[in-house]
mmCIF file of all heavy atoms in Angstrom:
data_model
loop_
_atom_site.group_PDB
_atom_site.id
_atom_site.type_symbol
_atom_site.label_atom_id
_atom_site.label_comp_id
_atom_site.label_asym_id
_atom_site.label_seq_id
_atom_site.Cartn_x
_atom_site.Cartn_y
_atom_site.Cartn_z
ATOM 1 N N VAL A 1 -26.130 38.798 -17.441
ATOM 2 C CA VAL A 1 -27.230 38.652 -16.504
ATOM 3 C C VAL A 1 -26.676 38.609 -15.088
ATOM 4 O O VAL A 1 -25.548 38.159 -14.869
ATOM 5 C CB VAL A 1 -28.052 37.381 -16.821
ATOM 6 C CG1 VAL A 1 -27.210 36.129 -16.624
ATOM 7 C CG2 VAL A 1 -29.314 37.318 -15.981
ATOM 8 N N GLN A 2 -27.448 39.082 -14.133
ATOM 9 C CA GLN A 2 -27.034 39.041 -12.743
ATOM 10 C C GLN A 2 -27.246 37.646 -12.160
ATOM 11 O O GLN A 2 -28.088 36.881 -12.634
ATOM 12 C CB GLN A 2 -27.822 40.045 -11.908
ATOM 13 C CG GLN A 2 -27.547 41.492 -12.235
ATOM 14 C CD GLN A 2 -28.228 42.419 -11.267
ATOM 15 O OE1 GLN A 2 -27.632 42.836 -10.269
ATOM 16 N NE2 GLN A 2 -29.481 42.732 -11.547
ATOM 17 N N ALA A 3 -26.473 37.330 -11.138
ATOM 18 C CA ALA A 3 -26.632 36.054 -10.455
ATOM 19 C C ALA A 3 -28.074 35.882 -9.988
ATOM 20 O O ALA A 3 -28.679 36.809 -9.458
ATOM 21 C CB ALA A 3 -25.677 35.966 -9.275
ATOM 22 N N GLY A 4 -28.595 34.689 -10.204
ATOM 23 C CA GLY A 4 -29.975 34.403 -9.869
ATOM 24 C C GLY A 4 -30.941 34.642 -11.004
ATOM 25 O O GLY A 4 -32.109 34.242 -10.917
ATOM 26 N N GLY A 5 -30.460 35.258 -12.055
ATOM 27 C CA GLY A 5 -31.305 35.564 -13.189
ATOM 28 C C GLY A 5 -31.407 34.421 -14.177
ATOM 29 O O GLY A 5 -30.878 33.326 -13.963
ATOM 30 N N SER A 6 -32.080 34.700 -15.281
ATOM 31 C CA SER A 6 -32.327 33.693 -16.305
ATOM 32 C C SER A 6 -31.921 34.196 -17.678
ATOM 33 O O SER A 6 -31.890 35.404 -17.941
ATOM 34 C CB SER A 6 -33.813 33.313 -16.331
ATOM 35 O OG SER A 6 -34.234 32.757 -15.104
ATOM 36 N N LEU A 7 -31.627 33.258 -18.538
ATOM 37 C CA LEU A 7 -31.258 33.564 -19.903
ATOM 38 C C LEU A 7 -31.602 32.361 -20.766
ATOM 39 O O LEU A 7 -31.549 31.217 -20.298
ATOM 40 C CB LEU A 7 -29.768 33.878 -20.000
ATOM 41 C CG LEU A 7 -29.276 34.705 -21.188
ATOM 42 C CD1 LEU A 7 -29.869 36.102 -21.155
ATOM 43 C CD2 LEU A 7 -27.748 34.782 -21.170
ATOM 44 N N ARG A 8 -31.938 32.614 -22.006
ATOM 45 C CA ARG A 8 -32.267 31.545 -22.945
ATOM 46 C C ARG A 8 -31.386 31.676 -24.174
ATOM 47 O O ARG A 8 -31.394 32.714 -24.832
ATOM 48 C CB ARG A 8 -33.737 31.620 -23.346
ATOM 49 C CG ARG A 8 -34.218 30.469 -24.234
ATOM 50 C CD ARG A 8 -35.692 30.647 -24.583
ATOM 51 N NE ARG A 8 -36.216 29.560 -25.397
ATOM 52 C CZ ARG A 8 -36.784 28.468 -24.920
ATOM 53 N NH1 ARG A 8 -36.912 28.308 -23.604
ATOM 54 N NH2 ARG A 8 -37.232 27.534 -25.742
ATOM 55 N N VAL A 9 -30.624 30.642 -24.454
ATOM 56 C CA VAL A 9 -29.803 30.613 -25.650
ATOM 57 C C VAL A 9 -30.412 29.634 -26.639
ATOM 58 O O VAL A 9 -31.036 28.644 -26.258
ATOM 59 C CB VAL A 9 -28.333 30.237 -25.341
ATOM 60 C CG1 VAL A 9 -27.662 31.353 -24.550
ATOM 61 C CG2 VAL A 9 -28.242 28.923 -24.575
ATOM 62 N N SER A 10 -30.235 29.931 -27.912
ATOM 63 C CA SER A 10 -30.828 29.117 -28.953
ATOM 64 C C SER A 10 -29.793 28.743 -29.999
ATOM 65 O O SER A 10 -28.761 29.401 -30.134
ATOM 66 C CB SER A 10 -31.992 29.859 -29.625
ATOM 67 O OG SER A 10 -33.011 30.155 -28.698
ATOM 68 N N CYS A 11 -30.097 27.695 -30.742
ATOM 69 C CA CYS A 11 -29.224 27.224 -31.802
ATOM 70 C C CYS A 11 -30.077 26.878 -33.007
ATOM 71 O O CYS A 11 -31.066 26.143 -32.883
ATOM 72 C CB CYS A 11 -28.434 25.997 -31.344
ATOM 73 S SG CYS A 11 -27.421 25.231 -32.629
ATOM 74 N N ALA A 12 -29.697 27.393 -34.156
ATOM 75 C CA ALA A 12 -30.381 27.092 -35.402
ATOM 76 C C ALA A 12 -29.469 26.273 -36.299
ATOM 77 O O ALA A 12 -28.309 26.634 -36.510
ATOM 78 C CB ALA A 12 -30.797 28.380 -36.103
ATOM 79 N N ALA A 13 -29.988 25.184 -36.817
ATOM 80 C CA ALA A 13 -29.230 24.307 -37.697
ATOM 81 C C ALA A 13 -29.706 24.476 -39.131
ATOM 82 O O ALA A 13 -30.899 24.613 -39.396
ATOM 83 C CB ALA A 13 -29.374 22.852 -37.273
ATOM 84 N N SER A 14 -28.773 24.451 -40.046
ATOM 85 C CA SER A 14 -29.106 24.547 -41.455
ATOM 86 C C SER A 14 -28.183 23.640 -42.260
ATOM 87 O O SER A 14 -27.232 23.069 -41.727
ATOM 88 C CB SER A 14 -28.997 25.994 -41.952
ATOM 89 O OG SER A 14 -27.680 26.486 -41.797
ATOM 90 N N GLY A 15 -28.476 23.510 -43.531
ATOM 91 C CA GLY A 15 -27.702 22.627 -44.367
ATOM 92 C C GLY A 15 -28.301 21.232 -44.388
ATOM 93 O O GLY A 15 -29.515 21.063 -44.446
ATOM 94 N N ARG A 16 -27.455 20.235 -44.289
ATOM 95 C CA ARG A 16 -27.888 18.843 -44.328
ATOM 96 C C ARG A 16 -28.350 18.393 -42.937
ATOM 97 O O ARG A 16 -27.750 17.519 -42.319
ATOM 98 C CB ARG A 16 -26.761 17.964 -44.852
ATOM 99 C CG ARG A 16 -26.331 18.327 -46.268
ATOM 100 C CD ARG A 16 -25.038 17.621 -46.641
ATOM 101 N NE ARG A 16 -25.196 16.180 -46.744
ATOM 102 C CZ ARG A 16 -25.357 15.509 -47.867
ATOM 103 N NH1 ARG A 16 -25.390 16.167 -49.022
ATOM 104 N NH2 ARG A 16 -25.478 14.194 -47.859
ATOM 105 N N THR A 17 -29.426 18.989 -42.481
ATOM 106 C CA THR A 17 -29.887 18.735 -41.116
ATOM 107 C C THR A 17 -30.445 17.335 -40.919
ATOM 108 O O THR A 17 -30.607 16.895 -39.775
ATOM 109 C CB THR A 17 -30.944 19.769 -40.701
ATOM 110 O OG1 THR A 17 -32.026 19.747 -41.634
ATOM 111 C CG2 THR A 17 -30.338 21.166 -40.664
ATOM 112 N N PHE A 18 -30.751 16.627 -42.000
ATOM 113 C CA PHE A 18 -31.227 15.255 -41.873
ATOM 114 C C PHE A 18 -30.171 14.351 -41.256
ATOM 115 O O PHE A 18 -30.472 13.253 -40.811
ATOM 116 C CB PHE A 18 -31.665 14.700 -43.233
ATOM 117 C CG PHE A 18 -30.607 14.768 -44.296
ATOM 118 C CD1 PHE A 18 -29.619 13.806 -44.376
ATOM 119 C CD2 PHE A 18 -30.607 15.801 -45.219
ATOM 120 C CE1 PHE A 18 -28.647 13.861 -45.352
ATOM 121 C CE2 PHE A 18 -29.641 15.875 -46.207
ATOM 122 C CZ PHE A 18 -28.657 14.905 -46.267
ATOM 123 N N ASN A 19 -28.953 14.806 -41.253
ATOM 124 C CA ASN A 19 -27.850 14.046 -40.671
ATOM 125 C C ASN A 19 -27.805 14.146 -39.151
ATOM 126 O O ASN A 19 -27.057 13.413 -38.502
ATOM 127 C CB ASN A 19 -26.524 14.541 -41.252
ATOM 128 C CG ASN A 19 -25.362 13.636 -40.910
ATOM 129 O OD1 ASN A 19 -25.434 12.422 -41.100
ATOM 130 N ND2 ASN A 19 -24.287 14.216 -40.402
ATOM 131 N N ILE A 20 -28.594 15.050 -38.578
ATOM 132 C CA ILE A 20 -28.566 15.298 -37.141
ATOM 133 C C ILE A 20 -29.544 14.391 -36.411
ATOM 134 O O ILE A 20 -30.707 14.299 -36.776
ATOM 135 C CB ILE A 20 -28.899 16.768 -36.834
ATOM 136 C CG1 ILE A 20 -27.854 17.698 -37.444
ATOM 137 C CG2 ILE A 20 -28.997 16.985 -35.325
ATOM 138 C CD1 ILE A 20 -28.212 19.164 -37.327
ATOM 139 N N TYR A 21 -29.076 13.750 -35.355
ATOM 140 C CA TYR A 21 -29.952 12.997 -34.480
ATOM 141 C C TYR A 21 -29.958 13.575 -33.066
ATOM 142 O O TYR A 21 -30.992 13.604 -32.405
ATOM 143 C CB TYR A 21 -29.554 11.522 -34.419
ATOM 144 C CG TYR A 21 -30.570 10.678 -33.705
ATOM 145 C CD1 TYR A 21 -31.746 10.298 -34.343
ATOM 146 C CD2 TYR A 21 -30.379 10.284 -32.389
ATOM 147 C CE1 TYR A 21 -32.700 9.544 -33.689
ATOM 148 C CE2 TYR A 21 -31.329 9.519 -31.726
ATOM 149 C CZ TYR A 21 -32.483 9.151 -32.380
ATOM 150 O OH TYR A 21 -33.434 8.402 -31.729
ATOM 151 N N THR A 22 -28.815 14.024 -32.606
ATOM 152 C CA THR A 22 -28.686 14.599 -31.277
ATOM 153 C C THR A 22 -28.053 15.974 -31.362
ATOM 154 O O THR A 22 -27.085 16.170 -32.097
ATOM 155 C CB THR A 22 -27.833 13.705 -30.368
ATOM 156 O OG1 THR A 22 -28.420 12.411 -30.286
ATOM 157 C CG2 THR A 22 -27.719 14.304 -28.968
ATOM 158 N N MET A 23 -28.598 16.906 -30.615
ATOM 159 C CA MET A 23 -27.998 18.220 -30.473
ATOM 160 C C MET A 23 -27.714 18.457 -29.002
ATOM 161 O O MET A 23 -28.415 17.940 -28.130
ATOM 162 C CB MET A 23 -28.912 19.313 -31.030
ATOM 163 C CG MET A 23 -29.160 19.180 -32.523
ATOM 164 S SD MET A 23 -30.174 20.510 -33.213
ATOM 165 C CE MET A 23 -29.024 21.891 -33.119
ATOM 166 N N ALA A 24 -26.698 19.230 -28.742
ATOM 167 C CA ALA A 24 -26.269 19.415 -27.362
ATOM 168 C C ALA A 24 -25.659 20.791 -27.160
ATOM 169 O O ALA A 24 -25.302 21.485 -28.116
ATOM 170 C CB ALA A 24 -25.250 18.339 -26.969
ATOM 171 N N TRP A 25 -25.558 21.155 -25.905
ATOM 172 C CA TRP A 25 -24.877 22.373 -25.503
ATOM 173 C C TRP A 25 -23.626 22.019 -24.713
ATOM 174 O O TRP A 25 -23.664 21.164 -23.819
ATOM 175 C CB TRP A 25 -25.767 23.260 -24.639
ATOM 176 C CG TRP A 25 -26.868 23.928 -25.389
ATOM 177 C CD1 TRP A 25 -28.165 23.543 -25.467
ATOM 178 C CD2 TRP A 25 -26.752 25.115 -26.179
ATOM 179 N NE1 TRP A 25 -28.875 24.415 -26.244
ATOM 180 C CE2 TRP A 25 -28.038 25.385 -26.699
ATOM 181 C CE3 TRP A 25 -25.698 25.973 -26.491
ATOM 182 C CZ2 TRP A 25 -28.296 26.489 -27.523
ATOM 183 C CZ3 TRP A 25 -25.955 27.058 -27.315
ATOM 184 C CH2 TRP A 25 -27.234 27.304 -27.815
ATOM 185 N N PHE A 26 -22.555 22.694 -25.048
ATOM 186 C CA PHE A 26 -21.317 22.637 -24.303
ATOM 187 C C PHE A 26 -20.961 24.051 -23.880
ATOM 188 O O PHE A 26 -21.445 25.025 -24.454
ATOM 189 C CB PHE A 26 -20.181 22.052 -25.144
ATOM 190 C CG PHE A 26 -20.296 20.578 -25.392
ATOM 191 C CD1 PHE A 26 -21.164 20.083 -26.347
ATOM 192 C CD2 PHE A 26 -19.519 19.687 -24.667
ATOM 193 C CE1 PHE A 26 -21.268 18.726 -26.581
ATOM 194 C CE2 PHE A 26 -19.606 18.325 -24.892
ATOM 195 C CZ PHE A 26 -20.481 17.842 -25.845
ATOM 196 N N ARG A 27 -20.102 24.169 -22.900
ATOM 197 C CA ARG A 27 -19.637 25.487 -22.497
ATOM 198 C C ARG A 27 -18.164 25.431 -22.130
ATOM 199 O O ARG A 27 -17.651 24.398 -21.711
ATOM 200 C CB ARG A 27 -20.448 26.037 -21.323
ATOM 201 C CG ARG A 27 -20.298 25.258 -20.025
ATOM 202 C CD ARG A 27 -21.261 25.796 -18.976
ATOM 203 N NE ARG A 27 -21.099 25.136 -17.691
ATOM 204 C CZ ARG A 27 -21.871 25.339 -16.642
ATOM 205 N NH1 ARG A 27 -22.880 26.217 -16.717
ATOM 206 N NH2 ARG A 27 -21.650 24.686 -15.505
ATOM 207 N N GLN A 28 -17.511 26.562 -22.315
ATOM 208 C CA GLN A 28 -16.103 26.652 -21.987
ATOM 209 C C GLN A 28 -15.807 28.026 -21.399
ATOM 210 O O GLN A 28 -16.070 29.047 -22.031
ATOM 211 C CB GLN A 28 -15.226 26.404 -23.212
ATOM 212 C CG GLN A 28 -13.745 26.343 -22.893
ATOM 213 C CD GLN A 28 -12.924 25.802 -24.045
ATOM 214 O OE1 GLN A 28 -13.333 25.879 -25.200
ATOM 215 N NE2 GLN A 28 -11.766 25.247 -23.739
ATOM 216 N N ALA A 29 -15.284 28.015 -20.198
ATOM 217 C CA ALA A 29 -14.878 29.234 -19.526
ATOM 218 C C ALA A 29 -13.380 29.442 -19.724
ATOM 219 O O ALA A 29 -12.640 28.476 -19.947
ATOM 220 C CB ALA A 29 -15.214 29.164 -18.042
ATOM 221 N N PRO A 30 -12.913 30.682 -19.636
ATOM 222 C CA PRO A 30 -11.477 30.935 -19.789
ATOM 223 C C PRO A 30 -10.649 30.113 -18.812
ATOM 224 O O PRO A 30 -10.943 30.065 -17.617
ATOM 225 C CB PRO A 30 -11.350 32.432 -19.498
ATOM 226 C CG PRO A 30 -12.683 32.987 -19.864
ATOM 227 C CD PRO A 30 -13.668 31.924 -19.449
ATOM 228 N N GLY A 31 -9.626 29.457 -19.318
ATOM 229 C CA GLY A 31 -8.752 28.668 -18.484
ATOM 230 C C GLY A 31 -9.281 27.304 -18.114
ATOM 231 O O GLY A 31 -8.617 26.561 -17.381
ATOM 232 N N LYS A 32 -10.457 26.959 -18.584
ATOM 233 C CA LYS A 32 -11.050 25.668 -18.279
ATOM 234 C C LYS A 32 -11.303 24.878 -19.557
ATOM 235 O O LYS A 32 -11.405 25.441 -20.643
ATOM 236 C CB LYS A 32 -12.363 25.834 -17.517
ATOM 237 C CG LYS A 32 -12.228 26.466 -16.146
ATOM 238 C CD LYS A 32 -13.559 26.497 -15.436
ATOM 239 C CE LYS A 32 -13.438 27.076 -14.047
ATOM 240 N NZ LYS A 32 -14.759 27.099 -13.356
ATOM 241 N N GLU A 33 -11.407 23.571 -19.400
ATOM 242 C CA GLU A 33 -11.730 22.719 -20.529
ATOM 243 C C GLU A 33 -13.214 22.816 -20.854
ATOM 244 O O GLU A 33 -14.041 23.151 -20.004
ATOM 245 C CB GLU A 33 -11.356 21.267 -20.235
ATOM 246 C CG GLU A 33 -9.871 21.017 -20.102
ATOM 247 C CD GLU A 33 -9.536 19.553 -19.980
ATOM 248 O OE1 GLU A 33 -10.467 18.723 -19.922
ATOM 249 O OE2 GLU A 33 -8.345 19.221 -19.952
ATOM 250 N N ARG A 34 -13.532 22.519 -22.085
ATOM 251 C CA ARG A 34 -14.915 22.489 -22.504
ATOM 252 C C ARG A 34 -15.660 21.402 -21.742
ATOM 253 O O ARG A 34 -15.145 20.295 -21.559
ATOM 254 C CB ARG A 34 -14.984 22.225 -24.008
ATOM 255 C CG ARG A 34 -16.385 22.231 -24.590
ATOM 256 C CD ARG A 34 -16.325 22.002 -26.084
ATOM 257 N NE ARG A 34 -15.767 20.698 -26.390
ATOM 258 C CZ ARG A 34 -15.239 20.366 -27.561
ATOM 259 N NH1 ARG A 34 -15.185 21.264 -28.529
ATOM 260 N NH2 ARG A 34 -14.766 19.143 -27.752
ATOM 261 N N GLU A 35 -16.871 21.708 -21.303
ATOM 262 C CA GLU A 35 -17.651 20.724 -20.574
ATOM 263 C C GLU A 35 -19.043 20.571 -21.175
ATOM 264 O O GLU A 35 -19.627 21.524 -21.697
ATOM 265 C CB GLU A 35 -17.760 21.091 -19.090
ATOM 266 C CG GLU A 35 -18.558 22.346 -18.803
ATOM 267 C CD GLU A 35 -18.811 22.556 -17.322
ATOM 268 O OE1 GLU A 35 -18.826 21.557 -16.568
ATOM 269 O OE2 GLU A 35 -18.995 23.722 -16.913
ATOM 270 N N PHE A 36 -19.558 19.385 -21.068
ATOM 271 C CA PHE A 36 -20.898 19.081 -21.528
ATOM 272 C C PHE A 36 -21.924 19.712 -20.610
ATOM 273 O O PHE A 36 -21.757 19.726 -19.389
ATOM 274 C CB PHE A 36 -21.092 17.563 -21.572
ATOM 275 C CG PHE A 36 -22.505 17.135 -21.811
ATOM 276 C CD1 PHE A 36 -23.039 17.109 -23.081
ATOM 277 C CD2 PHE A 36 -23.303 16.757 -20.749
ATOM 278 C CE1 PHE A 36 -24.345 16.714 -23.305
ATOM 279 C CE2 PHE A 36 -24.610 16.353 -20.952
ATOM 280 C CZ PHE A 36 -25.125 16.343 -22.241
ATOM 281 N N VAL A 37 -23.015 20.214 -21.198
ATOM 282 C CA VAL A 37 -24.075 20.840 -20.422
ATOM 283 C C VAL A 37 -25.366 20.034 -20.506
ATOM 284 O O VAL A 37 -25.922 19.622 -19.492
ATOM 285 C CB VAL A 37 -24.331 22.282 -20.887
ATOM 286 C CG1 VAL A 37 -25.493 22.896 -20.108
ATOM 287 C CG2 VAL A 37 -23.075 23.127 -20.717
ATOM 288 N N ALA A 38 -25.862 19.816 -21.715
ATOM 289 C CA ALA A 38 -27.129 19.116 -21.891
ATOM 290 C C ALA A 38 -27.255 18.644 -23.325
ATOM 291 O O ALA A 38 -26.634 19.192 -24.230
ATOM 292 C CB ALA A 38 -28.311 20.024 -21.531
ATOM 293 N N ALA A 39 -28.093 17.629 -23.538
ATOM 294 C CA ALA A 39 -28.326 17.093 -24.872
ATOM 295 C C ALA A 39 -29.786 16.726 -25.047
ATOM 296 O O ALA A 39 -30.476 16.380 -24.092
ATOM 297 C CB ALA A 39 -27.451 15.861 -25.124
ATOM 298 N N VAL A 40 -30.250 16.796 -26.282
ATOM 299 C CA VAL A 40 -31.593 16.364 -26.644
ATOM 300 C C VAL A 40 -31.505 15.677 -27.997
ATOM 301 O O VAL A 40 -30.762 16.119 -28.876
ATOM 302 C CB VAL A 40 -32.586 17.550 -26.679
ATOM 303 C CG1 VAL A 40 -32.142 18.614 -27.682
ATOM 304 C CG2 VAL A 40 -33.993 17.062 -27.002
ATOM 305 N N ASN A 41 -32.251 14.581 -28.166
ATOM 306 C CA ASN A 41 -32.195 13.895 -29.441
ATOM 307 C C ASN A 41 -33.523 13.971 -30.181
ATOM 308 O O ASN A 41 -34.503 14.528 -29.680
ATOM 309 C CB ASN A 41 -31.705 12.448 -29.284
ATOM 310 C CG ASN A 41 -32.692 11.540 -28.568
ATOM 311 O OD1 ASN A 41 -33.879 11.829 -28.457
ATOM 312 N ND2 ASN A 41 -32.178 10.414 -28.079
ATOM 313 N N TRP A 42 -33.556 13.409 -31.367
ATOM 314 C CA TRP A 42 -34.723 13.465 -32.233
ATOM 315 C C TRP A 42 -35.935 12.807 -31.592
ATOM 316 O O TRP A 42 -37.071 13.172 -31.916
ATOM 317 C CB TRP A 42 -34.382 12.795 -33.569
ATOM 318 C CG TRP A 42 -35.390 12.981 -34.642
ATOM 319 C CD1 TRP A 42 -35.880 14.164 -35.116
ATOM 320 C CD2 TRP A 42 -36.015 11.947 -35.402
ATOM 321 N NE1 TRP A 42 -36.785 13.930 -36.123
ATOM 322 C CE2 TRP A 42 -36.883 12.570 -36.323
ATOM 323 C CE3 TRP A 42 -35.924 10.553 -35.388
ATOM 324 C CZ2 TRP A 42 -37.655 11.842 -37.222
ATOM 325 C CZ3 TRP A 42 -36.687 9.820 -36.288
ATOM 326 C CH2 TRP A 42 -37.539 10.465 -37.190
ATOM 327 N N SER A 43 -35.738 11.856 -30.710
ATOM 328 C CA SER A 43 -36.817 11.198 -29.995
ATOM 329 C C SER A 43 -37.219 11.949 -28.729
ATOM 330 O O SER A 43 -38.025 11.449 -27.949
ATOM 331 C CB SER A 43 -36.404 9.771 -29.626
ATOM 332 O OG SER A 43 -36.133 9.005 -30.781
ATOM 333 N N GLU A 44 -36.644 13.120 -28.515
ATOM 334 C CA GLU A 44 -36.958 14.013 -27.404
ATOM 335 C C GLU A 44 -36.424 13.536 -26.065
ATOM 336 O O GLU A 44 -36.865 14.015 -25.019
ATOM 337 C CB GLU A 44 -38.460 14.279 -27.320
ATOM 338 C CG GLU A 44 -39.015 14.938 -28.564
ATOM 339 C CD GLU A 44 -40.482 15.272 -28.461
ATOM 340 O OE1 GLU A 44 -41.146 14.795 -27.518
ATOM 341 O OE2 GLU A 44 -40.977 16.023 -29.316
ATOM 342 N N ALA A 45 -35.496 12.607 -26.085
ATOM 343 C CA ALA A 45 -34.803 12.264 -24.849
ATOM 344 C C ALA A 45 -33.869 13.407 -24.473
ATOM 345 O O ALA A 45 -33.306 14.074 -25.346
ATOM 346 C CB ALA A 45 -34.009 10.978 -25.021
ATOM 347 N N VAL A 46 -33.720 13.643 -23.186
ATOM 348 C CA VAL A 46 -32.849 14.715 -22.712
ATOM 349 C C VAL A 46 -31.883 14.180 -21.671
ATOM 350 O O VAL A 46 -32.164 13.194 -20.985
ATOM 351 C CB VAL A 46 -33.650 15.897 -22.123
ATOM 352 C CG1 VAL A 46 -34.496 16.557 -23.192
ATOM 353 C CG2 VAL A 46 -34.528 15.424 -20.965
#
């Protein structure tokens, strides 16, 4: 995408999903450490 644009990424969970309470996004660029982006939990806190 070009700078200033938008994109939507999604994540699908399967298996023993009852074990999940919080899901989150992380990102890692080349040469950089992984960093936290955002989180959402089962109670819809973000």
Side-chain angles (χ1 to χ4, degrees):
V1 64
Q2 293 187 93
S6 299
L7 202 64
R8 185 180 182 91
V9 292
S10 299
C11 175
S14 61
R16 299 169 67 99
T17 57
F18 56 82
N19 191 50
I20 297 173
Y21 189 78
T22 302
M23 297 183 71
W25 288 99
F26 288 78
R27 65 186 183 185
Q28 186 167 24
K32 296 184 178 180
E33 293 187 356
R34 183 178 63 200
E35 67 172 334
F36 170 81
V37 177
V40 59
N41 69 19
W42 190 55
S43 299
E44 299 183 348
V46 296

